[in-house]
């Protein structure tokens, strides 16, 4: 099913509160400002800073 | 006779609105002190459904909705409302509130807000606080009631709360599995 565009438009990064974007594989959300990846599990984004993974530049 | 049993823990949600967006930065850690780590945050949403707050808080007003990772006891809602009232007080200037915080909780079947204002459809939950059944979850979506404020009828908020509900269901399942492991 995947994450909806509507939801993506309303969510922000819990750390910096800036916009986030979907990864190409649609398996996570990236905050370009914090360089953090929030994984999507069972169509639900895990938006916890401590569980986010760093994104390599 | 029905056998009383403990209620499910609930997902804590808070709506905050203000005129001065920079106030959100010092506010955020104070809210995490009350509810624990935040796991879903909305972007800024226009709070333009009523002019009720304009005299006190100015306008335009902007809102964010936050959901917290740790699940809470439903019976703690009045305490949580008192704690958020204390936080509101910290930001008061010239006897005027600059931040409004509305805590509530979400369950699979409903969304309940805490309020200090009495009304026919609200149930007293102690400590001068009332519970307002704001939305019911029916046929796979949140549905407003006759008394639901217009802002809680908006698509943005309904979609956000549906996502919070999905996350909550996942957390509740994990918590129940953990309890079963600890107390087989």
């Amino acid at each position: 099913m995947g994450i909806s565009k509507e939801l993506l438009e309303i969510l922000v990064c819990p750390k910096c509160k800036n916009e986030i974007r979907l990864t190409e594989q649609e398996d996570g959300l990236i905050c370009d400002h914090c360089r953090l990846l929030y994984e999507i599990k069972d169509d639900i984004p895990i938006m916890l800073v401590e569980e986010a993974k760093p994104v390599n530049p | 006779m029905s056998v009383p049993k403990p209620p499910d823990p609930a997902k804590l949600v808070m709506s905050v609105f203000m005129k001065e967006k920079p106030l959100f930065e010092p506010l955020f850690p104070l809210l995490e002190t009350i509810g624990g780590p935040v796991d879903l945050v909305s972007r800024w949403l226009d709070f333009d459904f009523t002019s009720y707050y304009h005299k006190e808080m100015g306008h335009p007003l902007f809102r964010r909705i936050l959901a917290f990772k740790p699940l809470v006891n439903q019976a703690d809602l009045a305490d949580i409302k008192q704690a958020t009232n204390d936080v509101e007080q910290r930001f008061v200037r010239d006897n005027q509130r600059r931040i409004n915080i509305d805590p509530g909780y979400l369950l699979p079947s409903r969304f309940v807000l805490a309020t200090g204002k009495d009304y026919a459809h609200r149930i007293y939950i102690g400590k001068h606080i009332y519970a307002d059944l704001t939305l019911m979850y029916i046929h796979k979506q949140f549905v407003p009631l006759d008394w639901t404020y217009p802002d809680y009828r908006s698509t943005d908020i309904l979609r956000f709360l549906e996502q919070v509900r999905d996350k909550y269901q996942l957390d509740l399942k994990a918590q129940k599995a953990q309890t079963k492991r600890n107390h087989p």
Side-chain angles (χ1 to χ4, degrees):
Chain A
M1 190 172 73
I3 189 165
S4 75
K5 190 170 172 284
E6 280 175 335
L7 179 68
L8 199 56
E9 283 172 359
I10 202 174
L11 283 180
V12 293
C13 169
K15 188 175 181 189
C16 68
K17 286 82 179 174
N18 282 314
E19 286 179 14
I20 45 180
R21 64 178 171 84
L22 197 58
T23 59
E24 280 180 22
Q25 296 78 18
E26 300 193 354
D27 57 356
L29 298 170
I30 289 178
C31 171
D32 290 315
H33 183 265
C34 300
R35 305 296 302 161
L36 286 175
L37 168 72
Y38 299 97
E39 289 184 306
I40 296 175
K41 293 176 184 170
D42 299 329
D43 292 334
I44 297 169
I46 310 300
M47 304 296 289
L48 282 168
V49 177
E50 64 264 34
E51 291 185 26
K53 294 178 177 171
V55 179
N56 294 324
Chain B
M1 185 190 81
S2 63
V3 180
K5 53 183 184 180
D8 278 337
K11 186 81 168 169
L12 178 62
V13 175
M14 291 187 199
S15 155
V16 300
F17 64 83
M18 63 204 71
K19 182 185 172 195
E20 303 159 67
K21 289 180 181 177
L23 293 178
F24 188 74
E25 199 173 326
L27 172 66
F28 189 76
L30 297 174
L31 298 182
E32 287 200 313
T33 303
I34 296 170
V38 165
D39 68 353
L40 288 166
V41 187
S42 79
R43 64 174 165 80
W44 286 111
L45 305 167
D46 291 335
F47 186 84
D48 55 4
F49 298 90
T50 174
S51 57
Y52 178 82
Y53 298 94
H54 288 180
K55 191 176 176 189
E56 181 181 19
M57 300 180 69
H59 65 97
L61 294 167
F62 305 99
R63 155 190 271 170
R64 279 196 200 275
I65 314 273
L66 305 93
F68 295 79
K69 168 77 177 170
L71 301 181
V72 298
N73 187 337
Q74 295 177 44
D76 290 343
L77 186 59
D79 286 327
I80 291 168
K81 179 65 174 171
Q82 284 193 323
T84 59
N85 284 350
D86 290 343
V87 170
E88 283 183 2
Q89 284 303 311
R90 289 199 196 195
F91 290 87
V92 165
R93 184 187 286 166
D94 299 328
N95 285 324
Q96 305 285 304
R97 276 186 307 170
R98 292 190 296 160
I99 290 174
N100 185 98
I101 310 167
D102 288 321
Y105 63 69
L106 188 144
L107 293 167
S109 62
R110 58 193 180 272
F111 176 62
V112 175
L113 278 172
T115 174
K117 301 182 191 91
D118 188 12
Y119 207 71
H121 61 274
R122 291 174 178 163
I123 308 299
Y124 185 65
I125 55 172
K127 301 182 178 177
H128 306 170
I129 304 298
Y130 299 82
D132 181 307
L133 174 61
T134 301
L135 299 167
M136 289 173 68
Y137 194 80
I138 301 171
H139 302 312
K140 298 185 178 179
Q141 60 180 348
F142 277 115
V143 177
L145 297 138
D146 286 350
W147 50 79
T148 302
Y149 286 128
D151 47 333
Y152 284 96
R153 297 168 181 267
S154 72
T155 306
D156 278 349
I157 289 188
L158 293 174
R159 293 292 163 275
F160 183 79
L161 290 177
E162 280 160 15
Q163 182 65 37
V164 172
R165 183 180 179 277
D166 286 347
K167 180 69 173 60
Y168 163 65
Q169 300 262 65
L170 206 67
D171 292 343
L172 192 60
K173 202 172 160 185
Q175 185 164 319
K176 283 183 175 174
Q178 183 68 40
T179 306
K180 208 170 179 180
R181 276 196 298 274
N182 293 344
H183 307 283

